[in-house]
Amino acid sequence: MATATTYGARDHARAQQDTRVETMPVLPAADWPTPPEGVRSADLVWAETVAGGNYTHKVLARGTELRLTDLTGEACAHVLLYVEGRPWERLNAADTVKVLWNAYLGEGSLLLSDQGRVLASVVSDTSGRHDALCGTSTAARNVRRYGDGAPQGPSPAGRELLKLAALKNGLEPRDLPPSVSFFQGVRVLPDGGLEYTGTSGQGGEVVLRAEQPLTVLVANVPHPLDPRSEYVSGPLEVLAWKGRATAPGDDLWDATPEGRRAFLNTAEHLIARGIA
């Protein structure tokens, strides 16, 4: 067979270099065939389609805009954010909900660290089905639900995939806080219970803006409250491009008193470090 020798295996591998695999990053990102409206191809820094049951990760500069798209209505993007070079400052879902007095993510939401600083802002949202309360799935839960939760198995758990993404960025399992998720919604009932509201359908988009240099981890797996007995997870499109961070005078900066304070905290920290 052609790959039975080292030379044969090398030639086979090289022959694949111009073959585009739909679930791998496009390199360079500028080669992505359909950049977002108003975005130059040259400004793209990340272009990838993440298959269901898979993960991805990237370090993004401050001001970068990150668009997640649910291509089929079956994606669920479980996201963790860390300040690049300062992994102890990370997404805090509880403070994101508490400080902003809102349990539901959407356009204008701020994703906060436990130090009262903005990690990312939600620039736009066409889905409206997101969750900052439940976190992602675990191996034990997926074993009970689907019979397997291993990252290389047929029904990978979100936490197991985020562990792999974390390790590739020098992070350990203990560095994984509860994540937020996009494209599968949850509502709080009057009695305090949680109601799974599912997806808004094919083509939902959410755009995040990095307000600090960030390490981004994403696992695309079913929501832990998804009631279906089958492991259903569709492709997630990930695009990011160069932009600028939110600044004084922008509408979002002064949208709420709490948000303004969080932006001021962030600006003070970045100015002292010579980043802004």
Side-chain angles (χ1 to χ4, degrees):
M1 57 188 301
T3 58
T5 68
T6 302
Y7 292 117
R10 181 198 63 186
D11 293 342
H12 175 75
R14 288 179 175 177
Q16 310 306 309
Q17 68 177 3
D18 294 323
T19 301
R20 174 165 293 174
V21 179
E22 294 299 328
T23 56
M24 290 184 67
V26 170
L27 300 176
D31 285 350
W32 184 262
T34 53
E37 184 176 355
V39 176
R40 301 185 309 158
S41 292
D43 287 336
L44 288 171
V45 298
W46 190 5
E48 182 174 358
T49 301
V50 184
N54 280 265
Y55 70 96
T56 188
H57 56 95
K58 184 74 76 175
V59 174
L60 298 179
R62 179 172 179 259
T64 302
E65 295 195 1
L66 169 63
R67 189 183 78 182
L68 306 174
T69 304
D70 180 0
L71 295 177
T72 64
E74 299 291 0
C76 188
H78 301 260
V79 175
L80 285 176
L81 305 174
Y82 302 79
V83 176
E84 171 61 12
R86 291 170 45 84
W88 53 89
E89 185 169 1
R90 62 193 66 164
L91 176 67
N92 189 300
D95 281 1
T96 292
V97 169
K98 178 180 67 176
V99 173
L100 300 178
W101 304 96
N102 194 336
Y104 305 114
L105 301 176
E107 184 172 331
S109 293
L110 307 179
L111 303 180
L112 304 179
S113 76
D114 64 353
Q115 300 189 37
R117 301 184 187 118
V118 188
L119 301 179
S121 54
V122 181
V123 177
S124 63
D125 172 31
T126 67
S127 170
R129 300 290 180 90
H130 313 305
D131 174 33
L133 303 174
C134 295
T136 192
S137 54
T138 64
R141 174 203 171 277
N142 278 26
V143 168
R144 292 193 301 270
R145 174 66 66 87
Y146 308 115
D148 189 12
Q152 292 83 20
S155 49
R159 181 170 172 80
E160 299 306 303
L161 295 178
L162 290 172
K163 285 181 184 178
L164 296 180
L167 286 170
K168 293 181 179 180
N169 289 276
L171 303 170
E172 300 180 12
R174 67 178 182 176
D175 295 316
L176 297 179
S179 58
V180 297
S181 57
F182 297 96
F183 307 122
Q184 300 287 335
V186 168
R187 303 291 295 182
V188 180
L189 299 173
D191 64 2
L194 297 176
E195 178 185 28
Y196 172 74
T197 59
T199 177
S200 64
Q202 179 180 2
E205 296 180 354
V206 60
V207 177
L208 309 179
R209 177 187 294 136
E211 304 292 357
Q212 299 193 56
L214 295 179
T215 299
V216 181
L217 312 183
V218 182
N220 180 25
V221 300
H223 190 278
L225 295 188
D226 189 329
R228 292 174 289 187
S229 59
E230 304 85 7
Y231 187 94
V232 180
S233 183
L236 173 73
E237 183 183 275
V238 180
L239 294 179
W241 56 89
K242 298 174 184 177
R244 70 172 188 87
T246 303
D250 293 346
D251 290 343
L252 186 58
W253 186 281
D254 293 310
T256 67
E258 297 82 9
R260 183 174 186 274
R261 180 66 182 184
F263 277 120
L264 289 172
N265 287 341
T266 307
E268 183 272 339
H269 171 70
L270 295 176
I271 290 170
R273 296 176 63 84
I275 299 175

